[in-house]
Amino acid sequence: MNAPSPDTSRTPPEPSRKLVFGLKTYLSLMLAAVSTVSFLVSGMVLFVYRVPQITEATRAALTSEAQNLALRTELILAGLETQLGLVSSLLLADADEQNLQFILSRTADKSSPFSAVYQLDKNGTVVRAAVQPLIDERRRQELLGNDYSRVPHVTTMRESVVPVWSEKYISNISDSVTVAVGARVGEGALIAEVPLEHILRSLQTSKGAGEAAVWLLDNKGEVLADSEDSSRVGVVNVSSEPLFREASSRWSLAGQMRFEGRNFDAAVARTEALNWFVVTRLPAGLASPAIASKLELVFAVTAGAALLGLLLSPLLALWLARPLATITRQARRVANGELPGPWPEGRSLEFNNLSADLDRMARSLLARERELEAIFNVSPIGIAVTSLGRQPRIIKVNDTLLQLFGHPRQALIGRSSADLNMWADPRDRERLFQAVEQGQEVEMEAWALRADGGRFLAAHTARTYTDASGQDRFAVIVLRDITELRRIEDEIRHLNADLERRVQERTQELVQTNDRLSTTLESLQRTQDELVRAEKLASLGSLVAGIAHELNTPLGNGVMAVSTMRAALSSFQVESAQGLKRSSLDRLVAAMEMGSDIAQRNLQRAAELVTSFKQVAADQTSAQRRRFDLREVCDEIVLTLRPVLKQCDAQVVMSVPEGLVLDSYPGALWQVLTNLVTNAITHAFEGHTSPRIAITAAALGPDRVAMSVADNGQGIAPELLPRIFDPFVTTRMGRGGTGLGLHIVHNLVFSTLGGSVGVKSQVGEGTEFLLELPLIAPAQVKPQ
């Protein structure tokens, strides 16, 4: 029974910080929002379209009202002039002092627009006066006898034959802002003071209940009267306002003005009598009453649309969400690893396409999950998936791990390895999970316990990963039973420890083997001579000569290694006779170890050469494939060939960087480079005084390496160069050359190593063999 995959639906995720809704609620809100926004946008577009029209209409209405008020002001002032003219006529017609005073008193009674009326004689002295009853009588008495002859507006009034209006001033009689109108009476003048509040009340009465505020300004822009706030009178001045400056030269004008940080739509109309200005104004923009009412209407319609959308959208949302809810349930079953039933279909093409796509996706996911589950279970190494948290729990294992530990799957899932006593040393478990919690990649060896109590050494590799939500972390732990591997390694170490004891026996065996090989070589040499003399067996004779040539090098190296070990033994015996020393023993062991190693490798190479020469056409080495460092292999070859190099006093210059790691066949590469070096020693340096061989290597892109074996010898004749890799092509036939060395190099490079080999040579300048090899050798390459 396979372990179920981690089911994220069974453990609900942590609540999201985002505000989420059910599909029905979400669709209802969206539909209501769409309808509301639609009405709101439509209303705002209409509102924006209407605002300029409303503003224009407001300014036109303000202009009309300002003009009407200006005309009303003219009429009010004309009426006051007429009334003053009648009083003047009465004063001229009656000489009785009591009647004259009575006339003035009736002119300034409590219902009169005049706050004070006084008559001047020809010298400008007040001879009669009357004030409204609200004003103290003492003020009237103080007024009598005053000389106003030098007051500018009084002078003007005394000289004018028609009524004349003065500039505004603060009356010392009524203590209010006042204007005066005067007319000639005989040689003197009659002057009446009119409070500005009376003029403003008259204007307000005439304008009715309109919403516009009214200002009365003098020709200098100072507020004479304000329908909103009387404290502005005599304090506020709008002469700097562009609309007022422009209206000074016109009868009326409408526009926008700014006052006390607010914008107003305003209209200005000028009165001819006093050269005053009537200003009507209303707040501009959204503060305008007309615009505000339209805006309220838009919001009311929008609110109604939103309410209607909220009422109708649940029905539409329910109709839309029903197939989606079915699809969601089916998708949840797919997420739980189940094969869902039929997917819903309806009248919507998009829903039907979605159902079909989800059905294909579900089947594909289930197929891939089963495929991955099969691969997971047939893996030759044990795998366990563990959730990381306060207490790690096993959530999935493969069959190999069950076989390693002997536990049933049900006993592992949902439990900890500590609960199941799967570690021989609990500290190893703590060390592994501490490293995993820190996000490290762990590789360690530890003893594990099976269900029956048996122990085995396991190599653990652990890596962490995070699920798609980014919240839950898991560890994948891979185990391999390396008990047998470590046992073999221990045996090898014991064998190496016994090497010193076996050196003598091994040396004797090598001497005997060397003797037998020497006998074989002589036999092959005789056979070669017979084949050469026989025309029918010429090819076989060449083969034997090649065998003799190729075997001579490893055998010579073996003999030299054995001789070296014998010399080391002799030296040790002489030194031990004088007293055994640790240094003497160390030198003997080192010499024996190096000599036996050289002899073993050369004799092994001789055995491989015999096999290779039997095949002739395509050599396949018996060496195993492994990863190795190219520099180490080159060092090993130079060390092996050191005795041969000393014979011709050849210098080897090697330029191979460290870190060039190949996954290939080191035995085949060893034989290729050895053949190239020995070929140079054999053929290139005859009569040369300072022979030199250069071995270089360099990375060639990310997956290949280039090598070169070059000498400074006599070079290769041009006629031989095209056939240099053919078998039995040599310039030393009959003198130890068979022509098989480079042919073997060619076959190994192409067939085994998967690379290519070429040659460049100039007579008298030397020869260079160029190799291009892959870092990872192919599993099998057909011979070229």
Side-chain angles (χ1 to χ4, degrees), residues 625 627 661-664 703-704 753-754 773-779:
R625 177 184 183 136
R627 289 174 61 86
V661 179
L662 280 72
D663 183 1
S664 188
D703 56 357
R704 300 185 74 80
L753 301 178
L773 306 175
L775 295 179
I776 301 177

Side-chain angles (χ1 to χ4, degrees), residues 537-570:
L537 301 176
S539 298
L540 182 58
S542 299
L543 173 61
V544 173
I547 292 174
H549 168 70
E550 295 296 331
L551 288 177
N552 195 27
T553 298
L555 291 177
N557 292 337
V559 172
M560 182 176 297
V562 172
S563 300
T564 302
M565 287 189 289
R566 284 180 175 177
L569 283 173
S570 299

Side-chain angles (χ1 to χ4, degrees), residues 196-376:
L196 291 182
E197 288 85 351
H198 171 77
I199 299 176
L200 180 60
R201 285 195 300 271
S202 300
L203 291 177
Q204 289 177 335
T205 302
S206 62
K207 81 180 186 70
E211 297 178 342
V214 179
W215 274 344
L216 187 62
L217 307 178
D218 63 10
N219 56 3
K220 297 178 181 179
E222 186 173 326
V223 175
L224 301 177
D226 190 336
S227 63
E228 284 186 335
D229 188 356
S230 61
S231 63
R232 296 175 182 151
V233 175
V235 178
V236 176
N237 190 300
V238 296
S239 59
S240 60
E241 182 64 33
L243 182 65
F244 176 78
R245 292 200 305 268
E246 188 175 352
S248 299
S249 59
R250 302 172 62 178
W251 179 58
S252 65
L253 180 66
Q256 190 177 74
M257 65 180 299
R258 188 168 182 83
F259 177 68
E260 294 182 346
R262 299 169 59 194
N263 291 326
F264 292 89
D265 289 323
V268 183
R270 185 163 57 88
T271 64
E272 296 293 341
L274 296 177
N275 195 23
W276 288 354
F277 296 89
V278 177
V279 178
T280 55
R281 54 187 172 86
L282 284 173
L286 297 180
S288 171
I291 295 177
S293 63
K294 296 295 182 182
L295 190 60
E296 290 174 359
L297 178 61
V298 169
F299 280 115
V301 173
T302 303
L307 181 60
L308 183 62
L310 287 174
L311 294 176
L312 297 180
S313 58
L315 300 177
L316 181 59
L318 179 62
W319 181 73
L320 292 174
R322 185 175 298 162
L324 287 177
T326 305
I327 290 175
T328 301
R329 290 194 297 271
Q330 296 289 74
R332 188 175 294 113
R333 295 185 62 186
V334 173
N336 292 334
E338 305 173 7
L339 185 63
W343 294 82
E345 293 185 359
R347 298 183 180 276
S348 173
L349 178 61
E350 287 74 10
F351 278 133
N352 293 341
N353 291 337
L354 177 61
S355 295
D357 293 340
L358 288 174
D359 182 55
R360 287 193 296 271
M361 182 187 70
R363 296 181 184 277
S364 176
L365 287 175
L366 291 176
R368 292 182 183 179
E369 183 177 354
R370 291 169 181 170
E371 180 181 353
L372 292 175
E373 191 74 21
I375 295 173
F376 179 76

